[in-house]
Amino acid sequence: MSSLNKTPILIFGSTGSIGMASTNILKKNKHELLLSNSNDNEDIKNLSQKFSSPYFSFDLLNEEFTHQMLSEEIRKHTTGLSGLIISIAKPFPNKFIHNTDDLVLKEQLNIHILTFHKIIKSCLPFLEACNTQCIPRITYISTEYLLGSPPIKIAPYLAAKSAATTYAKVLAKELITKGIKVFILSPGMVRSKLTSNLPEIYLQQVEEKMPNKRLTSPEEISLTINAIYQGYLDASFGNEIQVSNAERR
C-alpha cells in the first residue's frame, strides 16, 4: 500500500481537462489525491509525479472488468476514500442520431452508465469506511446540455449522460442516509479531448454566441469542484449545479 497520509479523493479521468484542473486546485488546498485513468501512459505518470500523488490505470471499458477487480486495485493504495470524482468520457462520431451505428450507442451507454454503476459498487465500501471521520462526497460530471434544448449530432453522449445523471440523482437520495453526499456538476462546453475532433470554426461560432464570447474553462469548473470538497455546497447535493459561460436559459 502507498504511503498516503490521509484518506484521498479518487479522481477517475484525472488526465482529462476537468480532471487535471481539479487535481491542480484540490492539491493546492491540501487534499490527498489518488489518480486514475484508462491507460498507463506518460500523461498519468507526469501528473502523478508533478503532484506527488499515487495513481493506477484501469480500463473501465474492458469486458472482463468487474467491481471486485477495481476494489482490489484501490485497496493497494488505501483502505478509505474521502471523496470520488467521476469525469470520464470517450469521443464519438458526430452524426445525426438516425445515422448512428448501434455500437456507438452501446459504447456510450457502457462508459457513462454501466461503468458508473461498477465504480459506485467498488468505491462505496471505501467511502463508508470514512463517514465517521468526514462527510464523503461523490461528484459526477454531467453536462449542461441536459438542462435545456439539446443540440443535434451528440445524441449518443447525451442519452448516456441523461441515464447516468438520473442514476446520480437516485444515488444521492439513497446515500444521504449513509452520511455520503452526491453532487452533480453540469458544466458548459470546454476545449478537451472530447471536443478535439470538432472543427475550430465551429467552436469559434459557439463562442461568438456566448455572452462572454468564450467557452467555459476547466479552471472555472474546478473552482466549483473545490467548493464541493471544502463543504461550501453541501446544501446542493443531489441537484444539478450548472457551471457555464453559455447564454442563460
Side-chain angles (χ1 to χ4, degrees), residues 13 29 33-34 61 99 102 110 151 158 176 188 212 219 227 229:
N29 284 283
L33 302 179
L34 176 57
L61 281 176
N99 290 332
D102 294 354
N110 279 342
L158 293 184
I176 193 63
N212 294 326
E219 289 70 28
Y229 290 94

Side-chain angles (χ1 to χ4, degrees), residues 27-44:
K27 199 66 178 181
K28 281 184 178 179
N29 284 283
K30 311 301 181 185
H31 290 283
E32 196 78 79
L33 302 179
L34 176 57
L35 309 177
S36 179
N37 77 340
S38 58
N39 298 305
D40 189 7
N41 54 27
E42 290 303 311
D43 289 343
I44 189 68

Side-chain angles (χ1 to χ4, degrees), residues 27-197:
K27 199 66 178 181
K28 281 184 178 179
N29 284 283
K30 311 301 181 185
H31 290 283
E32 196 78 79
L33 302 179
L34 176 57
L35 309 177
S36 179
N37 77 340
S38 58
N39 298 305
D40 189 7
N41 54 27
E42 290 303 311
D43 289 343
I44 189 68
K45 291 176 182 177
N46 292 337
L47 194 67
S48 173
Q49 184 174 21
K50 178 181 179 180
F51 292 105
S52 300
S53 296
Y55 79 93
F56 65 89
S57 296
F58 199 96
D59 185 2
L60 298 169
L61 281 176
N62 189 320
E63 291 184 0
E64 297 179 358
F65 162 40
T66 65
H67 70 274
Q68 291 94 341
M69 292 166 59
L70 181 54
S71 297
E72 290 172 7
E73 193 64 43
I74 296 170
R75 196 171 290 111
K76 294 176 183 178
H77 300 275
T78 183
T79 58
L81 293 171
S82 61
L84 185 62
I85 298 173
I86 303 169
S87 179
I88 54 178
K90 189 176 178 64
F92 52 90
N94 296 104
K95 295 182 177 181
F96 291 118
I97 186 61
H98 59 274
N99 290 332
T100 299
D101 292 338
D102 294 354
L103 289 178
V104 174
L105 282 166
K106 182 179 179 180
E107 184 177 65
Q108 289 296 310
L109 287 167
N110 279 342
I111 190 65
H112 291 293
I113 184 65
L114 186 59
T115 293
F116 186 14
H117 180 57
K118 290 180 179 179
I119 286 174
I120 293 302
K121 290 179 73 174
S122 304
C123 294
L124 187 54
F126 295 95
L127 294 162
E128 288 180 304
C130 295
N131 64 6
T132 57
Q133 309 164 27
C134 65
I135 299 174
R137 298 176 176 91
I138 299 170
T139 302
Y140 176 70
I141 307 300
S142 181
T143 170
E144 72 165 348
Y145 285 136
L146 300 181
L147 301 175
S149 178
I152 62 174
K153 294 190 177 182
I154 60 171
Y157 172 77
L158 293 184
K161 278 289 187 184
S162 179
T165 298
T166 300
Y167 181 102
K169 289 180 178 180
V170 175
L171 191 67
K173 292 182 178 182
E174 294 178 351
L175 295 190
I176 193 63
T177 60
K178 296 178 179 288
I180 299 169
K181 293 198 170 184
V182 179
F183 299 85
I184 304 162
L185 211 56
S186 299
M189 182 185 290
V190 302
R191 277 183 164 79
S192 66
K193 294 175 183 176
L194 191 65
T195 59
S196 62
N197 62 333

